[in-house]
Amino acid sequence: MAEAMERQKLVEALRAMGQLLRRHAVETTTLAGSGHPTTCLSAADIVATLFFTTLRYDVPNPDNPLNDRFVLSKGHAAPLLYAVWAEAGAFPVDHLKTLRRIDSELEGHPTPRFKWAEVATGSLGQGLSIANGMALAAKIDKLPYRVYALLGDGEVAEGGVWEAIAFASYYKLDNLTAIVDVNRLGQSAPTMLQHDLETYARRFEAFGWHPIIVDGHDVEQLMAAFEQAKTVKGKPTVILAKTIKGKGVSFLEDKEGWHGRPLPKDLAEKALAELALTEEQIALARSLKVRAPEDGVPSLPSVPEDWHCAIEFPRYELGQQVATREAYGDGLVALGKVNPQIVALDGDVKNSTFSEKFMAAFPERFVECFIAEQNMVGVAVGLATRGKIPFASSFACFLMRAYDFIRMAGIGTANIKLCGSHAGVSIGEDGPSQMGLEDIAAMRAIPRSIVLYPCDAVSTVKLVAEMAKYQGIAYLRTTRPKTPVIYRNEEEFPVGGCKILRSSPEDVVTVVAAGITVHEALKAYEMLANEGIKIRVIDLYSVKPLDEATLVRCALETNRTIVTVEDHYPEGGIGDAVAGAVSKEGIKVHKLAVNDIPRSGKPEELMDMFGISANAIARTVRQLVGK
């Protein structure tokens, strides 16, 4: 009897907490004058039950490695997220009034500026992939924490979600529980399946998940579902919660046209009247506490702060023919030997990107993501939140399929490393569908990113190490053909630098190249030198940030003239980066780039056809000097 009374008290407290969270969502969005209250109302009971009966979390210490993890994939329900953390004691409840203010970390959609949100969400369809990475990290580190991801039913239409669903099943992530808030209504219309939970369940089950259907407003059903999820072995669990959008407010419940609309003050007062709680109910709700994880000191990989000083880089001979994509694999292995937090991911092209070298050396730290680049980037983000340094690789063109995931990773300042191989027309006969020709522009646009483009094996392995040391998104561009080693093994390649490869007082033009075109520029140098024309040649291995001072100095010494040459479309690439850096000095920049849709052919034929070969560089220089 006593246990039954205690349980009834818990149920009443959870119901009151759900109502309290709803009140916060209405009040804060009305005060802010914007936001998404109705999606918060539908999920309030789910979140209240999860946090106050199931989640194990040391609230004052978000970095505790034993904490369960929670990802709000439906990021527009941010007011609900902030409300539950406030009620959990993370920060004063009164601070909720700052929602969406410019001086507040309580943004319209969560970012890690709010330290209880490890990732940025709000572009729907990404949270489950991130949760996959967190759950996988627990498996790698043999930690007992569980991962919970709350999705909206609308975002389940996203292809990236099904990539994530397939991945979680394949890797048997039984420490992962997804909760789908099936409230039936999207932004502009009902969802495809509306309240057909049986079809949702069959689909998840077909993908190898354990589905549980519940009434998302029945806290007892929710408690039972969360407990059941902990007992499931060998597969992830999804809790499909049937809810009502706008729950608790009669004039909002299951009504279209209210998505993303705060209530005006008069309607907010009516809504709050319907959501009224007595002082006793509020006190009962606030008697609930988030339980901390059980005491224990996890055994985590030890990494000394100066680990990068211990890297033993592979050594190459001058003139040796090595593709930069091969050297990328060599660099990963060298890092993996000294830092157990290095992990590698690939999208079923590991024998082309050469991440397979890392897989052979450290199979327990390699993650095959198959042909699902969106999920691969999301998993990398999740791994990074747990202290891993993930390197994810694919063809440069296919990484662009995951660009929105990369964009959100940038907003969330995720510490991920990306390698795009097979860049440009130099891949040859495979044709334009395989040629990454937009990637430099795309990756330069990511906030706080660095973009690196090595031309030989030595610069590649050194830049892989620089990527690992950099805190944030780092992108490395590699090429398919073998190229000669031009640097000695002792050479260093700091981020933001460049290398002057040829220079004399008689130089008439500065040629700036990167990657494959460095070798074309060196050939052009020899051709022009035989004609009595001297040019300066710069290897711009760091495209972002670039060495503005050196570029300006060289241009001023060579008739204020720069020729850029790149295996990339002209928009947003190296030419635009250089022009943006030097334009204030009155320096003229002439861009050689792939100016049309390419075709199949031999690499040298294509580079000549599209005007980025040694012949094209020499021809351009002759025109500029009038010869």
Side-chain angles (χ1 to χ4, degrees):
M1 182 68 72
E3 275 187 30
M5 288 179 64
E6 283 299 313
R7 183 171 180 83
Q8 187 56 38
K9 184 178 177 182
L10 173 61
V11 168
E12 290 173 6
L14 291 170
R15 288 171 179 162
M17 178 59 76
Q19 289 294 84
L20 187 55
L21 298 180
R22 290 186 174 94
R23 289 183 62 85
H24 288 318
V26 170
E27 289 174 326
T28 57
T29 53
T30 294
L31 183 61
S34 61
H36 300 73
T38 56
T39 195
C40 298
L41 301 184
S42 68
D45 299 311
I46 297 169
V47 169
T49 306
L50 172 61
F51 270 65
F52 295 105
T53 70
T54 304
L55 199 72
R56 298 292 177 266
Y57 200 99
D58 182 5
V59 176
N61 300 300
D63 294 328
N64 185 332
L66 294 175
N67 285 343
D68 288 344
R69 319 315 301 182
F70 175 69
V71 180
L72 181 68
S73 188
K74 48 177 281 180
H76 50 296
L80 176 62
L81 179 74
Y82 305 141
V84 74
W85 279 118
E87 291 295 346
F91 60 91
V93 171
D94 198 54
H95 188 59
L96 291 171
K97 295 176 182 177
T98 69
L99 177 71
R100 291 183 167 229
R101 278 187 359 199
I102 197 168
D103 60 347
S104 175
E105 76 281 16
L106 308 183
E107 301 192 66
H109 293 77
T111 73
R113 288 185 61 230
F114 178 69
K115 67 180 181 179
W116 289 272
E118 297 177 274
V119 295
T121 58
S123 183
L124 292 173
Q126 300 192 18
L128 188 56
S129 293
I130 295 168
N132 277 342
M134 294 174 171
L136 193 62
K139 296 285 189 181
I140 293 171
D141 290 336
K142 297 179 172 56
L143 291 178
Y145 69 80
R146 298 186 63 81
V147 182
Y148 299 90
L150 178 59
L151 288 70
D153 52 346
E155 70 179 299
V156 178
E158 284 280 5
V161 171
W162 292 96
E163 291 181 9
I165 290 168
F167 179 95
S169 174
Y170 178 80
Y171 282 103
K172 298 179 170 56
L173 298 181
D174 50 14
N175 56 347
L176 170 67
T177 299
I179 310 103
V180 184
D181 177 21
V182 187
N183 66 23
R184 194 186 76 83
L185 295 176
Q187 175 169 326
S188 62
T191 59
M192 282 192 284
L193 293 180
Q194 299 192 46
H195 273 149
D196 184 359
L197 278 80
E198 294 293 341
T199 297
Y200 278 115
R202 286 195 299 272
R203 290 180 180 182
F204 273 91
E205 190 169 30
F207 272 72
W209 284 57
H210 176 69
I212 306 171
I213 295 175
V214 298
D215 177 343
H217 302 304
D218 185 324
V219 299
E220 292 183 280
Q221 287 189 32
L222 287 164
M223 282 193 288
F226 286 125
E227 283 303 310
Q228 184 184 146
K230 291 180 182 180
T231 68
V232 175
K233 302 301 180 185
K235 61 176 64 177
T237 295
V238 59
I239 297 172
L240 299 162
K242 180 179 179 180
T243 63
I244 304 299
K245 199 164 186 175
K247 176 68 176 179
V249 179
S250 59
F251 55 90
L252 295 178
E253 286 191 354
D254 204 32
K255 297 291 194 300
E256 293 187 44
W258 279 102
H259 184 93
R261 288 180 58 191
L263 296 176
K265 190 174 180 181
D266 58 332
L267 289 182
E269 289 174 355
K270 286 180 62 179
L272 292 171
E274 293 189 26
L275 296 169
L277 291 167
T278 66
E279 290 298 321
E280 290 77 9
Q281 287 175 311
I282 293 173
L284 182 60
R286 287 180 170 160
S287 69
L288 294 167
K289 304 296 178 188
V290 175
R291 282 181 283 176
E294 293 181 6
D295 291 338
V297 179
S299 177
L300 294 174
S302 176
V303 184
E305 287 188 14
D306 61 347
W307 66 269
H308 53 275
C309 298
I311 300 171
E312 293 185 10
F313 291 101
R315 301 184 68 80
Y316 305 97
E317 299 293 329
L318 288 172
Q320 182 181 351
Q321 294 284 330
V322 184
T324 55
R325 61 187 174 119
E326 293 180 65
Y328 167 72
D330 295 338
L332 278 185
V333 172
L335 265 61
K337 288 178 179 178
V338 296
N339 189 335
Q341 297 289 43
I342 301 290
V343 296
L345 305 85
D346 201 282
D348 192 29
V349 287
K350 55 187 176 290
N351 56 344
S352 291
T353 64
F354 282 91
S355 67
E356 67 177 4
K357 293 187 177 186
F358 186 92
M359 180 187 71
F362 309 104
E364 72 284 356
R365 287 189 270 148
F366 180 84
V367 186
E368 175 57 72
C369 295
F370 304 98
I371 303 172
E373 294 84 3
Q374 294 179 96
N375 180 66
M376 179 176 71
V377 173
V379 169
V381 172
L383 287 165
T385 68
R386 308 314 319 132
K388 305 301 177 189
I389 304 176
F391 282 76
S393 52
S394 184
F395 285 20
C397 55
F398 304 144
L399 273 180
M400 294 304 98
R401 186 179 287 158
Y403 190 67
D404 188 40
F405 280 67
I406 300 169
R407 178 184 73 88
M408 288 299 296
I411 292 170
T413 62
N415 187 35
I416 64 171
K417 320 302 167 187
L418 304 171
C419 177
S421 74
H422 290 64
V425 300
S426 59
I427 75 166
E429 291 88 345
D430 275 349
S433 69
Q434 312 297 293
M435 298 171 176
L437 289 161
E438 314 85 359
D439 55 311
I440 292 177
M443 294 308 303
R444 282 181 63 224
I446 299 298
R448 304 184 189 177
S449 67
I450 60 172
V451 179
L452 308 171
Y453 190 9
C455 72
D456 81 341
V458 172
S459 55
T460 300
V461 296
K462 295 295 180 69
L463 290 174
V464 169
E466 293 294 324
M467 293 169 76
K469 288 158 56 179
Y470 180 73
Q471 186 67 31
I473 295 180
Y475 177 66
L476 185 81
R477 192 181 210 232
T478 62
T479 46
R480 182 182 188 182
K482 293 181 182 293
T483 51
V485 173
I486 64 172
Y487 292 112
R488 297 188 182 279
N489 291 299
E490 296 70 31
E491 196 83 25
E492 296 298 326
F493 295 83
V495 171
C498 66
K499 299 291 183 182
I500 301 175
L501 300 179
R502 301 289 186 273
S503 177
S504 78
E506 294 80 36
D507 294 338
V508 293
V509 170
T510 293
V511 175
V512 178
I516 194 77
T517 59
V518 167
H519 303 282
E520 297 301 311
L522 291 174
K523 292 176 192 173
Y525 171 87
E526 298 295 339
M527 294 166 60
L528 292 166
N530 290 334
E531 302 170 21
I533 301 173
K534 295 290 184 69
I535 62 172
R536 192 161 300 182
V537 177
I538 291 179
D539 173 8
L540 195 72
Y541 66 81
S542 180
V543 179
K544 179 190 177 184
L546 49 67
D547 187 348
E548 180 178 329
T550 297
L551 292 171
V552 169
R553 176 176 61 80
C554 289
L556 294 178
E557 293 173 357
T558 58
N559 300 309
R560 294 180 180 269
T561 304
I562 290 176
V563 173
T564 61
V565 54
E566 59 189 304
D567 196 358
H568 186 276
Y569 288 136
E571 293 82 11
I574 291 170
D576 281 358
V578 171
V582 306
S583 59
K584 60 181 178 291
E585 301 292 339
I587 294 165
K588 294 181 180 179
V589 177
H590 301 265
K591 298 192 298 183
L592 301 182
V594 180
N595 280 293
D596 202 356
I597 299 170
R599 60 183 71 182
S600 294
K602 296 185 184 303
E604 58 273 16
E605 293 174 330
L606 289 163
M607 294 179 75
D608 204 49
M609 173 179 282
F610 291 97
I612 59 172
S613 64
N615 287 329
I617 297 168
R619 185 166 57 247
T620 300
V621 172
R622 293 188 198 104
Q623 292 170 350
L624 290 172
V625 300
K627 291 189 179 182

